[in-house]
Amino acid sequence: MAVTYDLLVIGVGPGGYTAAIKAAGLGLKTAVIEKDKLGGVCLNRGCIPTKALLHASSMFAMMQRCDEFGVSVEEMTFNFKKMQQYKRKAVESYRRGVEEQFENLGIDLIFGRAVIRRDRNVEVYTDSGKEYLQAGHIIIATGAGPRMPDIPGIDLEGVYSSDRLLAADRWKFDRLTIVGGGVIGVEMATIFSSLCSKVTIVEQGSHLLGPMDRDVAKALEKQLTDKGIKVWCDASVAEITRGDDGPVCHIVREGKKLAAVSGPVLIAAGRTPCTEGLFGEDVEIRMSGGRLAVDDSFMTSVPEVYAVGDVCADIQLAHVAAAQGTFVVEKITGQPHTVRLWVVPNGMYARLPVVPNCIYTDPEIASVGLTEERARAIGMRVRCGRYSMGDNGKSIISHEQEGFIHLVFEAYSGNLVGAQIVCSRATDMIGEMATAIAAGLTASQLQMAMRAHPTYGEGIGRAIENAMKAEVS
C-alpha cells in the first residue's frame, strides 16, 4: 500500500531542499527522494566545492604578490590534496546543516530512483527494494548534468567533466585546456591559473559568457589574459587525440588549424536537464528545448506536478531554483508570495527578471536586470551611469583597481532596471541592486542612502550621480 504525503519532492538540490523545508514549515507532510547525495549538484559538485577551491586558490595567488603590501614569505607552495580536503569539509558542514533542518521539521528523506506514475503515484527503487508513494503535489527538482558535446576523442583518459575535475585529488594540471567560456569555464580557469597552471579557454561564441553584457565580457577577457590565460573566441575543438603525455586538443577557427595544446582537457560546454527514466509509460509530459515545459506557476503539463531549477529553467542558478521552489510551495499552500521572480517597470510592459548573476573570477563579476543593450532592444529609453573603480579608495588600498559599475535607469520614471558590476565583492554588492529593482526604486531614492567610506559600495553612489547627469538615450 502506498504511503501518502501532501508533497513529494524529487531531487534534493537547492530547489528541492528549499521547497521541502518551506513546505514542512507550513505544516505539509513532506518527503524528499534523492538518488545520489543530499544537496544535489550545487552542494556536492558545483557551487560550494567550486567556491571553496576558488577561495583556497585565491589565497595562494594573493600570497604570491604579498610583497606589494610589505609582507615577505620565503618559500610558498600549495598542497592540492589538502585543498580538496578543505573543500570536502566545507561541503560536509553545509550538508549537515540541511540534514538537521530535515530532522527538526520531520521531513522524510528517501534515497532511491523515483519514477512518476499517473495520478501522482511514485515508485521508488531503493537498495532494499521498491517503495510506493502517493502525493497531493509533486515538485521535480532533479537538476542537470554536464553536457558532453560530440567531439572525436572526448572519451580519452585525461578529458574531464567539471564533476570529475572537482573530485581530482592529485595535481596533474600544469596545463589545462577548457572547452567552453561560460561561467563554469571562466571560474575553473581562475582556480587553475591561480595555482600556476597554463590555461587555455576555447569558446565557440564571439565573446566569453554568452548573453552577458559585452563590456563585462571584454573586461573579463582582459583580466584573464593579464593573468596569462589564453582566450580563443570564435574557435572550436575539432578533435582530441592521444599524445605521449596525455590528450592533445586540436583547436580550429573558420576551418583552419589554430593550435594543438597538450595536457588535460576540461569540457565545460553547458549542462543537460536530468529527466531520463523519471516518468512511467502511463505519463505524458510536455518538453521544451530538452527541458520540462512549465507554465507561469511552474506547473508541468501534468496537473499538480511542478518543476523548478535546472530541469526546467533557462537560467541555471542555485538561487533561481531556491526562489522557484519557494514560489511553488507558497502557491500550493495559498500563502502570499515572498519572492519576486520578475517585475514590470513603471510604464513598461516587459517583464524584467530579478536574478543576480554572479561569477567568482578575480575581480568578481555580478549583474542583475537588463543590460543597456537589451533595454534599448525592447524599446526602453534609458539613462546610464558608470564609475571606474580605479578611483575608489578601497580598491586603491587593496591594489584591486580594475573594474567598473554600470547602472541602467528607465529614463522617465527613473527606476533602476539593470546593473553590471566588475570589482572585488561585486557578488555581495549586487544584492542592493536586486533589491532596488524589485522594489522599483529610482535613482533619487537610491541616492538618499549614505554609503560608508572607504568601501567598494561607494562606487554605486558615484555611478548613480553619473546617471542623473546623463543624457537620455
Side-chain angles (χ1 to χ4, degrees):
M1 185 174 177
V3 179
T4 302
Y5 291 91
D6 297 318
L7 175 66
L8 276 177
V9 180
I10 302 174
V12 68
Y17 66 68
T18 300
I21 290 167
K22 180 78 172 179
L26 290 171
L28 298 188
K29 183 181 179 183
T30 303
V32 176
I33 305 165
E34 172 57 50
K35 67 178 182 180
D36 191 5
K37 295 178 181 178
L38 189 150
V41 169
C42 175
L43 176 51
N44 297 289
R45 299 182 299 279
C47 314
I48 302 303
T50 301
K51 276 53 178 180
L53 286 180
L54 277 162
H55 181 68
S57 63
S58 69
M59 289 183 68
F60 179 71
M62 185 183 298
M63 291 303 294
Q64 288 179 298
R65 47 188 278 259
C66 65
D67 190 59
E68 296 176 18
F69 305 96
V71 178
S72 297
V73 178
E74 300 224 347
E75 184 178 347
M76 184 169 40
T77 186
F78 68 89
N79 184 318
F80 192 62
K81 187 172 183 177
K82 283 190 174 180
M83 283 186 174
Q84 292 286 36
Q85 290 170 352
Y86 151 72
K87 176 204 76 178
R88 280 192 288 274
K89 286 180 181 177
V91 169
E92 289 164 4
S93 177
Y94 200 112
R95 189 186 295 130
R96 278 196 302 273
V98 177
E99 288 172 345
E100 287 173 4
Q101 291 185 76
F102 275 27
E103 291 168 5
N104 293 339
L105 290 166
I107 298 169
D108 290 341
L109 177 58
I110 304 165
F111 287 100
R113 182 176 64 86
V115 179
I116 300 173
R117 297 289 188 175
R118 66 183 180 186
D119 299 326
R120 296 182 301 283
N121 289 290
V122 178
E123 296 173 354
V124 185
Y125 295 83
T126 69
D127 289 342
S128 57
K130 192 192 301 187
E131 296 183 20
Y132 297 92
L133 310 176
Q134 208 280 331
H137 312 276
I138 295 173
I139 296 177
I140 300 167
T142 49
R147 183 176 72 83
M148 303 301 279
D150 187 16
I151 299 173
I154 201 168
D155 296 326
L156 289 174
E157 182 67 26
V159 180
Y160 294 80
S161 67
S162 57
D163 290 357
R164 282 190 59 224
L165 189 64
L166 283 169
D169 261 347
R170 188 164 58 89
W171 179 261
K172 45 188 173 183
F173 304 104
D174 291 336
R175 288 183 179 274
L176 181 64
T177 301
I178 299 175
V179 182
V183 174
I184 294 172
V186 298
E187 289 188 350
M188 288 294 190
T190 300
I191 291 170
F192 285 88
S193 174
S194 296
L195 299 177
C196 303
S197 176
K198 297 184 186 303
V199 177
T200 300
I201 299 176
V202 184
E203 166 56 38
Q204 279 191 322
S206 59
H207 61 84
L208 300 175
L209 300 178
M212 185 70 79
D213 180 79
R214 285 181 180 272
D215 281 353
V216 171
K218 189 185 297 183
L220 172 63
E221 185 170 338
K222 182 179 184 304
Q223 295 163 22
L224 297 178
T225 54
D226 286 349
K227 296 180 194 315
I229 297 170
K230 290 183 180 177
V231 179
W232 283 324
C233 293
D234 289 316
S236 61
V237 175
E239 63 175 337
I240 302 169
T241 59
R242 193 187 307 277
D244 294 338
D245 300 316
V248 179
C249 205
H250 299 268
I251 304 166
V252 298
R253 181 186 286 155
E254 296 179 350
K256 296 179 181 178
K257 182 177 177 181
L258 194 63
V261 183
S262 60
V265 179
L266 167 64
I267 305 298
R271 301 184 71 80
T272 301
C274 297
T275 59
E276 187 176 355
L278 184 58
F279 300 96
E281 64 276 2
D282 55 346
V283 176
E284 290 186 15
I285 193 78
R286 191 164 64 85
M287 306 290 289
S288 175
R291 295 183 286 266
L292 291 179
V294 295
D295 63 16
D296 281 353
S297 64
F298 302 99
M299 189 186 294
T300 69
S301 56
V302 180
E304 298 311 316
V305 176
Y306 298 82
V308 301
D310 293 2
V311 74
C312 69
D314 291 332
I315 303 172
Q316 295 184 327
L317 294 170
H319 47 277
V320 170
Q324 290 172 347
T326 299
F327 186 94
V328 169
V329 171
E330 289 171 344
K331 188 251 183 188
I332 288 171
T333 56
Q335 300 291 313
H337 287 300
T338 59
V339 295
R340 298 192 73 179
L341 303 176
W342 47 74
V343 297
V344 179
N346 289 352
M348 301 300 297
Y349 297 99
R351 290 202 309 184
L352 193 159
V354 192
V355 177
N357 286 278
C358 298
I359 304 168
Y360 295 81
T361 47
D362 180 22
E364 294 178 345
I365 296 171
S367 66
V368 65
L370 300 177
T371 64
E372 181 178 351
E373 184 179 15
R374 177 61 186 153
R376 289 193 178 124
I378 63 173
M380 186 183 290
R381 303 298 300 277
V382 296
R383 293 180 190 269
C384 297
R386 193 177 181 92
Y387 175 69
S388 169
M389 295 301 287
D391 299 326
N392 175 264
K394 188 67 180 287
S395 297
I396 292 169
I397 291 167
S398 61
H399 284 201
E400 295 172 316
Q401 293 165 263
E402 294 183 9
F404 59 85
I405 296 173
H406 187 80
L407 303 182
V408 184
F409 295 89
E410 199 275 317
Y412 303 112
S413 67
N415 287 9
L416 181 70
V417 295
Q420 297 83 45
I421 304 177
V422 180
C423 71
S424 292
R425 303 293 175 87
T427 59
D428 295 318
M429 293 162 62
I430 203 67
E432 177 185 353
M433 302 293 89
T435 300
I437 292 173
L441 297 185
T442 65
S444 298
Q445 290 169 327
L446 279 166
Q447 192 70 333
M448 289 179 184
M450 270 187 245
R451 292 171 178 84
H453 175 76
T455 62
Y456 298 115
E458 283 182 283
I460 291 173
R462 299 291 294 276
I464 295 167
E465 288 176 11
N466 184 253
M468 293 174 79
K469 299 173 187 173
E471 298 291 329
V472 174
S473 60

